[in-house]
Amino acid sequence: MVELFGGAMLMDVPSSLTDVSQLREIPDHQEVFASKTSDQNLIIEILEPVDQQNQEAVKYHFEQVAEINESLETQVVSTEPLGIKEPLVDQSFVLVGCQKVAKFREQRDAGNSIVVLMALMRIGRFQADLLVTMNLPLEISQKSSSFESVKMTGGEGLVQSDAQVAEAKSQFIAMVRSLVIKDTGLFG
């Protein structure tokens, strides 16, 4: 289990991901992890709750992320309820989507296709949405700054089949379900 937010939460984060806060400053409401060998990353955020209800709330967060990423293409593939045992979580949902994004604001033709796995946990008692997002590279543009490193690793880290997406989703759900909130002072 990895400590998040100074130990206020715990979650099973894959050992292949590195805590980005050791490399650069991360906003207080986020925890960010990234792979050393691929464009895979994991972001855990504490956000104000949105007005949308049920699965529409996770879709709204997905659309917000797409807008922030200046996504060239965006598609929601599926949404479904996500049973979370954490007692503070009132509702939880998982979304699978796809986006085409250019890394570091590169030119539009350098857009990479990614699978986005997103879990939303609504914590009504503290008026918070806890959002966990994992980005998995699907296809890297030859014009992307990531292309050479992906080429050097032989495509390691790319999601290349529906079966791999299903397996990644299953692992993502298990990771999210491992979340434990230890200190509610985190929510203010």
Side-chain angles (χ1 to χ4, degrees), residues 155-182:
E156 181 183 324
L158 290 180
V159 178
Q160 299 173 345
S161 70
D162 289 344
Q164 284 180 311
V165 172
E167 178 63 21
K169 177 184 173 188
S170 176
Q171 291 172 356
F172 176 76
I173 288 172
M175 177 188 66
V176 171
R177 285 183 174 155
S178 75
L179 179 89
V180 176
I181 299 171
K182 298 195 56 94

Side-chain angles (χ1 to χ4, degrees), residues 55-82:
Q55 294 179 28
E56 292 305 311
V58 72
K59 287 180 185 177
Y60 178 82
H61 282 293
F62 176 76
E63 291 164 6
Q64 291 297 111
V65 168
E67 188 175 310
I68 290 166
N69 288 341
E70 297 180 9
S71 180
L72 307 170
E73 297 173 17
T74 302
Q75 176 189 7
V76 172
V77 175
S78 66
T79 60
E80 60 192 73
L82 175 65

Side-chain angles (χ1 to χ4, degrees), residues 14-121:
S15 61
S16 60
L17 300 178
T18 301
D19 184 348
V20 174
S21 70
Q22 296 175 0
L23 308 171
R24 64 179 167 88
E25 195 165 324
I26 302 296
D28 289 344
H29 73 283
Q30 289 183 339
E31 292 280 355
V32 180
F33 297 84
S35 170
K36 294 177 185 176
T37 60
S38 75
D39 277 356
Q40 182 178 356
N41 63 52
L42 172 69
I43 303 167
I44 301 112
E45 301 178 88
I46 300 170
L47 303 169
E48 291 185 19
V50 297
D51 293 334
Q52 288 73 9
Q53 299 298 309
N54 302 319
Q55 294 179 28
E56 292 305 311
V58 72
K59 287 180 185 177
Y60 178 82
H61 282 293
F62 176 76
E63 291 164 6
Q64 291 297 111
V65 168
E67 188 175 310
I68 290 166
N69 288 341
E70 297 180 9
S71 180
L72 307 170
E73 297 173 17
T74 302
Q75 176 189 7
V76 172
V77 175
S78 66
T79 60
E80 60 192 73
L82 175 65
I84 297 288
K85 293 181 178 155
E86 169 55 53
L88 291 174
V89 174
D90 301 317
Q91 294 181 312
S92 57
F93 305 95
V94 65
L95 176 145
V96 177
C98 295
Q99 293 181 7
K100 188 169 188 174
V101 295
K103 212 174 160 180
F104 307 122
R105 310 283 189 243
E106 294 174 332
Q107 295 180 9
R108 295 175 66 83
D109 61 353
N112 301 320
S113 296
I114 61 172
V115 173
V116 178
L117 303 174
M118 182 175 281
L120 171 63
M121 289 157 278

